[in-house]
Amino acid sequence: MIQGFDTTAIHAGAAADPATGARQVPIYQTTAYAFRDADHAAALFNLQEVGFIYSRLTNPTVAALQSRIAALEGGAGAVCCSSGHAAQILALFPLMEPGRNIVASTRLYGGTVTQFSQTIRRFGWSAKFVDLDDPQAVRDAIDDDTRAIFCESISNPGGYVTDIPAVAAIADAAGIPLIVDNTLATPYLCRPIEMGATLVVHSLTKYMTGNGTVTGGVVVDSGKFDWSASDKFPSLSAPEPAYHGLKFHETFGNLAFTFHGIAIGLRDLGMTMNPQGAHYTLMGIETLGLRMQRHCENALKVAQWLENDPRVVKVTYAGLESSPWKATADRLYPKGVGGLFTFEIAGGYEAAVKLVGALELFSHVANLGDARSLVIHSASTTHRQLTEDQQRAAGAGPEVVRLSVGIEDVEDLIADLDQALAKATA
Ligand SMILES: *Cc1c(COP(=O)(O)O)cnc(C)c1O
């Protein structure tokens, strides 16, 4: 990113349309693209020339979004896909084979814990969950079959922050990539690649689009990992039978992971983003910087207000002086720690459920990162499939309420919490 963040957020990947001059990125609502002739078609299919073939692989609207996100994250390339969970599979797919594992943080989005602890086992992959604040535990968990470390920059739902440079150093020493889910921070608050991450994944569903209209995901590649340094990553370093023995790393250099994501990942797994969704996300990203500033300001004020209220037992926000993560937050996330955190209400499970029902401005939904404020009781919803131990490890115990603080007037949000707390603890 050579220009400033907001300039990049508005301009990257989006010159005026060469065909029509349209200033906004058009929605290229097309499945296929006319080949110039048979040679052109053959060159595209052989990956000898870059172009558009079929929208399961590439689409110009989606490509504009990919360029914009790659620029914002400081990556070499990006591949958009149908959801944040799709992005996680798309990121792991080139790295993994049956029998391989990843080392994953214990503090993750509930759906990710389920995907990693249950679903990926059907592929013969597995995950070992470790507290990433304990470097020796991370080192001990890595074995010969480990192919990546996975964490969230700011983690859902607790809003804890990860010391990415410390974890990246462990990944480097082991010769494996660090994958960072940057959904909650967005590149406005955190640029994991600058801190040593190899790959960044996002649920675009959340802050990046920012208004609860899109389900989407992206994998960003730093372009910095040497896939040929060991024999651990044959999908990228060894001849690929599906492309006449082409070696992705040798052929595409720092774009190997990105090309593989499109030419193998999207082609064969089919978890494609649609051009309409890409358009909404492009619109959303234009205001990402402004929105994240306001999310952070509002969340800090709400968290401070809650912390001083006797009806509240505990608030987790890493921006609070009382947080054990405050020092890490100040060092690595100087612009703020986002809009998401949890608190424990006096009166436990029952009071938590009552509070969620009594709130009027905060919508009770299973989403986050919306312009409007949202609330959820994680233990009975997003983290329901987890054991109580897993819930507590993820910061989503039975008495915990999660807020996604929006960009409304903060006085109105506090007034709503005040009246709902009164009803819940009466
Ligand atoms: C929502 C979320 C996901 C999953 O994204 P979807 O777009 O819902 O598939 C992954 N990670 C985090 C941190 C999330 O908040």
Side-chain angles (χ1 to χ4, degrees), residues 82-88 108-112 115 150 152 154-156 181-184 201-206 214-217 340 366-368 402:
S82 54
S83 71
H85 269 4
Q88 292 165 193
L108 295 175
Y109 175 69
T112 304
Q115 188 188 56
F150 187 101
E152 294 174 7
I154 300 177
S155 75
N156 180 349
D181 181 339
N182 203 29
T183 300
L184 263 58
V201 296
H202 278 276
S203 167
L204 299 176
T205 315
K206 314 290 172 54
V214 167
T215 304
L340 195 88
N367 192 16
L368 62 95
R402 184 187 83 182

mmCIF file of all heavy atoms in Angstrom, residues 82-88 108-112 115 150 152 154-156 181-184 201-206 214-217 340 366-368 402, ligand 1:
data_model
loop_
_atom_site.group_PDB
_atom_site.id
_atom_site.type_symbol
_atom_site.label_atom_id
_atom_site.label_comp_id
_atom_site.label_asym_id
_atom_site.label_seq_id
_atom_site.Cartn_x
_atom_site.Cartn_y
_atom_site.Cartn_z
ATOM 1 N N SER A 82 -17.042 -17.768 -1.194
ATOM 2 C CA SER A 82 -18.457 -17.618 -0.860
ATOM 3 C C SER A 82 -18.750 -17.278 0.597
ATOM 4 O O SER A 82 -19.852 -16.838 0.903
ATOM 5 C CB SER A 82 -19.190 -18.909 -1.243
ATOM 6 O OG SER A 82 -18.557 -20.010 -0.623
ATOM 7 N N SER A 83 -17.803 -17.492 1.508
ATOM 8 C CA SER A 83 -18.041 -17.177 2.924
ATOM 9 C C SER A 83 -16.716 -17.204 3.672
ATOM 10 O O SER A 83 -15.695 -17.670 3.136
ATOM 11 C CB SER A 83 -19.003 -18.203 3.555
ATOM 12 O OG SER A 83 -18.347 -19.448 3.691
ATOM 13 N N GLY A 84 -16.755 -16.744 4.908
ATOM 14 C CA GLY A 84 -15.553 -16.805 5.727
ATOM 15 C C GLY A 84 -15.113 -18.244 5.979
ATOM 16 O O GLY A 84 -13.920 -18.550 5.966
ATOM 17 N N HIS A 85 -16.080 -19.127 6.180
ATOM 18 C CA HIS A 85 -15.727 -20.530 6.396
ATOM 19 C C HIS A 85 -15.156 -21.172 5.140
ATOM 20 O O HIS A 85 -14.264 -22.019 5.229
ATOM 21 C CB HIS A 85 -16.955 -21.305 6.879
ATOM 22 C CG HIS A 85 -17.051 -21.317 8.372
ATOM 23 N ND1 HIS A 85 -16.173 -20.624 9.175
ATOM 24 C CD2 HIS A 85 -17.899 -21.944 9.215
ATOM 25 C CE1 HIS A 85 -16.485 -20.826 10.443
ATOM 26 N NE2 HIS A 85 -17.532 -21.615 10.495
ATOM 27 N N ALA A 86 -15.660 -20.768 3.985
ATOM 28 C CA ALA A 86 -15.082 -21.244 2.724
ATOM 29 C C ALA A 86 -13.628 -20.787 2.624
ATOM 30 O O ALA A 86 -12.749 -21.541 2.190
ATOM 31 C CB ALA A 86 -15.892 -20.724 1.537
ATOM 32 N N ALA A 87 -13.359 -19.556 3.055
ATOM 33 C CA ALA A 87 -11.990 -19.020 2.983
ATOM 34 C C ALA A 87 -11.031 -19.871 3.823
ATOM 35 O O ALA A 87 -9.878 -20.084 3.435
ATOM 36 C CB ALA A 87 -11.970 -17.570 3.458
ATOM 37 N N GLN A 88 -11.510 -20.362 4.965
ATOM 38 C CA GLN A 88 -10.645 -21.171 5.817
ATOM 39 C C GLN A 88 -10.276 -22.483 5.120
ATOM 40 O O GLN A 88 -9.127 -22.918 5.159
ATOM 41 C CB GLN A 88 -11.338 -21.428 7.157
ATOM 42 C CG GLN A 88 -11.450 -20.139 7.962
ATOM 43 C CD GLN A 88 -12.409 -20.177 9.130
ATOM 44 O OE1 GLN A 88 -12.729 -19.127 9.673
ATOM 45 N NE2 GLN A 88 -12.867 -21.345 9.524
ATOM 46 N N LEU A 108 -11.213 -18.836 19.305
ATOM 47 C CA LEU A 108 -11.671 -18.699 17.925
ATOM 48 C C LEU A 108 -13.186 -18.586 17.886
ATOM 49 O O LEU A 108 -13.879 -19.043 18.801
ATOM 50 C CB LEU A 108 -11.275 -19.935 17.097
ATOM 51 C CG LEU A 108 -9.799 -20.209 16.857
ATOM 52 C CD1 LEU A 108 -9.646 -21.548 16.137
ATOM 53 C CD2 LEU A 108 -9.150 -19.095 16.043
ATOM 54 N N TYR A 109 -13.683 -18.032 16.784
ATOM 55 C CA TYR A 109 -15.102 -18.041 16.451
ATOM 56 C C TYR A 109 -15.665 -19.456 16.635
ATOM 57 O O TYR A 109 -15.018 -20.435 16.231
ATOM 58 C CB TYR A 109 -15.206 -17.588 14.996
ATOM 59 C CG TYR A 109 -16.550 -17.622 14.364
ATOM 60 C CD1 TYR A 109 -17.554 -16.742 14.752
ATOM 61 C CD2 TYR A 109 -16.826 -18.507 13.327
ATOM 62 C CE1 TYR A 109 -18.789 -16.760 14.132
ATOM 63 C CE2 TYR A 109 -18.058 -18.520 12.698
ATOM 64 C CZ TYR A 109 -19.038 -17.646 13.113
ATOM 65 O OH TYR A 109 -20.253 -17.659 12.501
ATOM 66 N N GLY A 110 -16.834 -19.593 17.246
ATOM 67 C CA GLY A 110 -17.383 -20.918 17.548
ATOM 68 C C GLY A 110 -17.512 -21.805 16.323
ATOM 69 O O GLY A 110 -17.206 -23.011 16.373
ATOM 70 N N GLY A 111 -17.955 -21.245 15.214
ATOM 71 C CA GLY A 111 -18.099 -22.023 13.978
ATOM 72 C C GLY A 111 -16.762 -22.559 13.492
ATOM 73 O O GLY A 111 -16.687 -23.656 12.921
ATOM 74 N N THR A 112 -15.702 -21.816 13.755
ATOM 75 C CA THR A 112 -14.368 -22.271 13.348
ATOM 76 C C THR A 112 -13.911 -23.421 14.233
ATOM 77 O O THR A 112 -13.306 -24.383 13.748
ATOM 78 C CB THR A 112 -13.371 -21.099 13.412
ATOM 79 O OG1 THR A 112 -13.870 -20.036 12.596
ATOM 80 C CG2 THR A 112 -12.002 -21.512 12.916
ATOM 81 N N GLN A 115 -15.699 -26.347 12.804
ATOM 82 C CA GLN A 115 -15.108 -26.747 11.518
ATOM 83 C C GLN A 115 -13.785 -27.485 11.730
ATOM 84 O O GLN A 115 -13.528 -28.510 11.098
ATOM 85 C CB GLN A 115 -14.870 -25.489 10.648
ATOM 86 C CG GLN A 115 -14.433 -25.810 9.228
ATOM 87 C CD GLN A 115 -14.029 -24.553 8.448
ATOM 88 O OE1 GLN A 115 -13.156 -23.796 8.868
ATOM 89 N NE2 GLN A 115 -14.679 -24.331 7.314
ATOM 90 N N PHE A 150 -2.957 -21.413 13.094
ATOM 91 C CA PHE A 150 -4.141 -20.606 12.761
ATOM 92 C C PHE A 150 -4.597 -19.828 13.993
ATOM 93 O O PHE A 150 -4.746 -20.393 15.072
ATOM 94 C CB PHE A 150 -5.276 -21.518 12.279
ATOM 95 C CG PHE A 150 -6.480 -20.767 11.760
ATOM 96 C CD1 PHE A 150 -6.678 -20.621 10.391
ATOM 97 C CD2 PHE A 150 -7.416 -20.210 12.635
ATOM 98 C CE1 PHE A 150 -7.775 -19.922 9.901
ATOM 99 C CE2 PHE A 150 -8.516 -19.506 12.155
ATOM 100 C CZ PHE A 150 -8.699 -19.370 10.778
ATOM 101 N N GLU A 152 -6.892 -15.888 15.277
ATOM 102 C CA GLU A 152 -7.600 -14.657 14.937
ATOM 103 C C GLU A 152 -6.799 -13.490 15.505
ATOM 104 O O GLU A 152 -6.268 -13.599 16.613
ATOM 105 C CB GLU A 152 -9.023 -14.677 15.521
ATOM 106 C CG GLU A 152 -9.879 -15.750 14.888
ATOM 107 C CD GLU A 152 -11.274 -15.910 15.527
ATOM 108 O OE1 GLU A 152 -11.648 -15.104 16.395
ATOM 109 O OE2 GLU A 152 -11.980 -16.854 15.133
ATOM 110 N N ILE A 154 -7.891 -10.239 16.372
ATOM 111 C CA ILE A 154 -8.750 -9.944 17.523
ATOM 112 C C ILE A 154 -9.756 -11.081 17.524
ATOM 113 O O ILE A 154 -10.325 -11.396 16.484
ATOM 114 C CB ILE A 154 -9.464 -8.590 17.364
ATOM 115 C CG1 ILE A 154 -8.433 -7.457 17.247
ATOM 116 C CG2 ILE A 154 -10.416 -8.351 18.529
ATOM 117 C CD1 ILE A 154 -9.059 -6.078 17.022
ATOM 118 N N SER A 155 -9.969 -11.713 18.682
ATOM 119 C CA SER A 155 -10.733 -12.953 18.608
ATOM 120 C C SER A 155 -12.176 -12.787 19.068
ATOM 121 O O SER A 155 -12.486 -12.012 19.965
ATOM 122 C CB SER A 155 -10.029 -14.065 19.382
ATOM 123 O OG SER A 155 -10.194 -13.878 20.763
ATOM 124 N N ASN A 156 -13.018 -13.511 18.420
ATOM 125 C CA ASN A 156 -14.447 -13.588 18.631
ATOM 126 C C ASN A 156 -14.715 -14.697 19.656
ATOM 127 O O ASN A 156 -14.208 -15.787 19.458
ATOM 128 C CB ASN A 156 -15.058 -13.937 17.273
ATOM 129 C CG ASN A 156 -16.562 -14.071 17.292
ATOM 130 O OD1 ASN A 156 -17.179 -14.103 18.341
ATOM 131 N ND2 ASN A 156 -17.133 -14.189 16.127
ATOM 132 N N ASP A 181 -6.918 -15.061 10.853
ATOM 133 C CA ASP A 181 -8.278 -14.611 10.545
ATOM 134 C C ASP A 181 -8.381 -13.166 11.034
ATOM 135 O O ASP A 181 -8.375 -12.910 12.241
ATOM 136 C CB ASP A 181 -9.286 -15.527 11.252
ATOM 137 C CG ASP A 181 -10.740 -15.132 10.970
ATOM 138 O OD1 ASP A 181 -10.984 -13.964 10.592
ATOM 139 O OD2 ASP A 181 -11.631 -15.980 11.165
ATOM 140 N N ASN A 182 -8.470 -12.232 10.088
ATOM 141 C CA ASN A 182 -8.429 -10.798 10.417
ATOM 142 C C ASN A 182 -9.822 -10.159 10.341
ATOM 143 O O ASN A 182 -9.953 -8.953 10.160
ATOM 144 C CB ASN A 182 -7.465 -10.099 9.438
ATOM 145 C CG ASN A 182 -6.908 -8.800 9.977
ATOM 146 O OD1 ASN A 182 -6.765 -8.623 11.194
ATOM 147 N ND2 ASN A 182 -6.590 -7.870 9.085
ATOM 148 N N THR A 183 -10.868 -10.992 10.486
ATOM 149 C CA THR A 183 -12.251 -10.526 10.345
ATOM 150 C C THR A 183 -12.601 -9.406 11.314
ATOM 151 O O THR A 183 -13.202 -8.403 10.929
ATOM 152 C CB THR A 183 -13.218 -11.705 10.594
ATOM 153 O OG1 THR A 183 -12.944 -12.733 9.637
ATOM 154 C CG2 THR A 183 -14.673 -11.281 10.475
ATOM 155 N N LEU A 184 -12.237 -9.568 12.587
ATOM 156 C CA LEU A 184 -12.673 -8.596 13.587
ATOM 157 C C LEU A 184 -11.854 -7.321 13.563
ATOM 158 O O LEU A 184 -12.354 -6.250 13.917
ATOM 159 C CB LEU A 184 -12.621 -9.225 14.988
ATOM 160 C CG LEU A 184 -13.956 -9.782 15.480
ATOM 161 C CD1 LEU A 184 -14.511 -10.822 14.552
ATOM 162 C CD2 LEU A 184 -13.818 -10.329 16.872
ATOM 163 N N VAL A 201 -7.079 -14.577 6.268
ATOM 164 C CA VAL A 201 -8.438 -14.897 5.817
ATOM 165 C C VAL A 201 -9.424 -13.933 6.471
ATOM 166 O O VAL A 201 -9.142 -13.364 7.534
ATOM 167 C CB VAL A 201 -8.849 -16.362 6.132
ATOM 168 C CG1 VAL A 201 -7.982 -17.351 5.367
ATOM 169 C CG2 VAL A 201 -8.775 -16.641 7.633
ATOM 170 N N HIS A 202 -10.546 -13.738 5.792
ATOM 171 C CA HIS A 202 -11.598 -12.855 6.302
ATOM 172 C C HIS A 202 -12.954 -13.479 6.056
ATOM 173 O O HIS A 202 -13.177 -14.087 5.010
ATOM 174 C CB HIS A 202 -11.650 -11.542 5.503
ATOM 175 C CG HIS A 202 -10.668 -10.522 5.912
ATOM 176 N ND1 HIS A 202 -10.885 -9.666 6.948
ATOM 177 C CD2 HIS A 202 -9.460 -10.211 5.402
ATOM 178 C CE1 HIS A 202 -9.840 -8.847 7.059
ATOM 179 N NE2 HIS A 202 -8.956 -9.163 6.132
ATOM 180 N N SER A 203 -13.875 -13.198 6.978
ATOM 181 C CA SER A 203 -15.276 -13.259 6.633
ATOM 182 C C SER A 203 -15.639 -11.844 6.182
ATOM 183 O O SER A 203 -15.669 -10.919 6.992
ATOM 184 C CB SER A 203 -16.111 -13.653 7.849
ATOM 185 O OG SER A 203 -17.475 -13.424 7.571
ATOM 186 N N LEU A 204 -15.908 -11.684 4.886
ATOM 187 C CA LEU A 204 -16.285 -10.358 4.348
ATOM 188 C C LEU A 204 -17.697 -9.986 4.780
ATOM 189 O O LEU A 204 -18.142 -8.854 4.616
ATOM 190 C CB LEU A 204 -16.173 -10.353 2.823
ATOM 191 C CG LEU A 204 -14.769 -10.630 2.275
ATOM 192 C CD1 LEU A 204 -14.798 -10.693 0.748
ATOM 193 C CD2 LEU A 204 -13.788 -9.562 2.736
ATOM 194 N N THR A 205 -18.392 -10.996 5.302
ATOM 195 C CA THR A 205 -19.748 -10.851 5.810
ATOM 196 C C THR A 205 -19.842 -9.773 6.903
ATOM 197 O O THR A 205 -20.906 -9.198 7.117
ATOM 198 C CB THR A 205 -20.158 -12.210 6.429
ATOM 199 O OG1 THR A 205 -19.777 -13.270 5.542
ATOM 200 C CG2 THR A 205 -21.631 -12.281 6.721
ATOM 201 N N LYS A 206 -18.757 -9.531 7.585
ATOM 202 C CA LYS A 206 -18.774 -8.719 8.802
ATOM 203 C C LYS A 206 -18.381 -7.272 8.486
ATOM 204 O O LYS A 206 -19.025 -6.631 7.698
ATOM 205 C CB LYS A 206 -17.870 -9.372 9.847
ATOM 206 C CG LYS A 206 -18.072 -10.897 9.979
ATOM 207 C CD LYS A 206 -19.395 -11.270 10.609
ATOM 208 C CE LYS A 206 -19.693 -12.760 10.577
ATOM 209 N NZ LYS A 206 -18.675 -13.644 11.148
ATOM 210 N N VAL A 214 -24.152 -9.211 2.875
ATOM 211 C CA VAL A 214 -23.381 -10.125 2.028
ATOM 212 C C VAL A 214 -22.832 -11.277 2.865
ATOM 213 O O VAL A 214 -22.446 -11.077 4.013
ATOM 214 C CB VAL A 214 -22.186 -9.367 1.379
ATOM 215 C CG1 VAL A 214 -21.180 -10.327 0.748
ATOM 216 C CG2 VAL A 214 -22.690 -8.376 0.337
ATOM 217 N N THR A 215 -22.781 -12.467 2.285
ATOM 218 C CA THR A 215 -21.975 -13.552 2.844
ATOM 219 C C THR A 215 -20.801 -13.755 1.907
ATOM 220 O O THR A 215 -21.004 -14.037 0.717
ATOM 221 C CB THR A 215 -22.792 -14.847 2.948
ATOM 222 O OG1 THR A 215 -23.962 -14.588 3.717
ATOM 223 C CG2 THR A 215 -21.992 -15.947 3.622
ATOM 224 N N GLY A 216 -19.592 -13.556 2.418
ATOM 225 C CA GLY A 216 -18.413 -13.681 1.551
ATOM 226 C C GLY A 216 -17.153 -13.909 2.349
ATOM 227 O O GLY A 216 -17.132 -13.729 3.568
ATOM 228 N N GLY A 217 -16.103 -14.316 1.654
ATOM 229 C CA GLY A 217 -14.818 -14.552 2.303
ATOM 230 C C GLY A 217 -13.676 -14.239 1.357
ATOM 231 O O GLY A 217 -13.889 -14.001 0.163
ATOM 232 N N LEU A 340 -16.242 -5.361 19.046
ATOM 233 C CA LEU A 340 -16.852 -6.565 19.604
ATOM 234 C C LEU A 340 -16.256 -6.905 20.968
ATOM 235 O O LEU A 340 -15.052 -6.898 21.135
ATOM 236 C CB LEU A 340 -16.605 -7.748 18.659
ATOM 237 C CG LEU A 340 -17.471 -8.962 18.945
ATOM 238 C CD1 LEU A 340 -18.783 -8.843 18.179
ATOM 239 C CD2 LEU A 340 -16.768 -10.244 18.534
ATOM 240 N N ALA A 366 -27.446 -13.488 14.953
ATOM 241 C CA ALA A 366 -26.174 -14.202 14.894
ATOM 242 C C ALA A 366 -25.300 -13.561 13.826
ATOM 243 O O ALA A 366 -25.076 -14.129 12.757
ATOM 244 C CB ALA A 366 -26.414 -15.675 14.574
ATOM 245 N N ASN A 367 -24.862 -12.352 14.077
ATOM 246 C CA ASN A 367 -23.967 -11.674 13.134
ATOM 247 C C ASN A 367 -23.167 -10.669 13.933
ATOM 248 O O ASN A 367 -23.453 -10.416 15.109
ATOM 249 C CB ASN A 367 -24.789 -10.987 12.031
ATOM 250 C CG ASN A 367 -23.922 -10.524 10.863
ATOM 251 O OD1 ASN A 367 -22.771 -10.959 10.718
ATOM 252 N ND2 ASN A 367 -24.461 -9.636 10.045
ATOM 253 N N LEU A 368 -22.163 -10.078 13.305
ATOM 254 C CA LEU A 368 -21.390 -9.019 13.948
ATOM 255 C C LEU A 368 -20.831 -8.124 12.850
ATOM 256 O O LEU A 368 -20.914 -8.456 11.662
ATOM 257 C CB LEU A 368 -20.259 -9.618 14.797
ATOM 258 C CG LEU A 368 -19.201 -10.437 14.062
ATOM 259 C CD1 LEU A 368 -17.997 -9.601 13.694
ATOM 260 C CD2 LEU A 368 -18.766 -11.606 14.916
ATOM 261 N N ARG A 402 -22.601 -11.161 24.297
ATOM 262 C CA ARG A 402 -21.686 -10.548 23.328
ATOM 263 C C ARG A 402 -22.343 -9.347 22.664
ATOM 264 O O ARG A 402 -23.467 -9.448 22.173
ATOM 265 C CB ARG A 402 -21.293 -11.571 22.259
ATOM 266 C CG ARG A 402 -20.255 -11.010 21.285
ATOM 267 C CD ARG A 402 -19.985 -11.956 20.135
ATOM 268 N NE ARG A 402 -20.982 -11.818 19.078
ATOM 269 C CZ ARG A 402 -21.008 -12.556 17.967
ATOM 270 N NH1 ARG A 402 -20.118 -13.510 17.787
ATOM 271 N NH2 ARG A 402 -21.939 -12.365 17.055
HETATM 272 C C1 LIG B 1 -18.276 -14.958 10.979
HETATM 273 C C2 LIG B 1 -16.880 -15.390 11.161
HETATM 274 C C3 LIG B 1 -16.343 -16.437 10.400
HETATM 275 C C4 LIG B 1 -17.162 -17.215 9.396
HETATM 276 O O1 LIG B 1 -17.552 -16.384 8.343
HETATM 277 P P1 LIG B 1 -18.863 -16.667 7.446
HETATM 278 O O2 LIG B 1 -18.818 -15.577 6.439
HETATM 279 O O3 LIG B 1 -20.031 -16.601 8.361
HETATM 280 O O4 LIG B 1 -18.673 -18.035 6.865
HETATM 281 C C5 LIG B 1 -15.018 -16.767 10.597
HETATM 282 N N1 LIG B 1 -14.257 -16.107 11.491
HETATM 283 C C6 LIG B 1 -14.737 -15.098 12.243
HETATM 284 C C7 LIG B 1 -13.845 -14.416 13.209
HETATM 285 C C8 LIG B 1 -16.066 -14.706 12.106
HETATM 286 O O5 LIG B 1 -16.546 -13.706 12.856
#
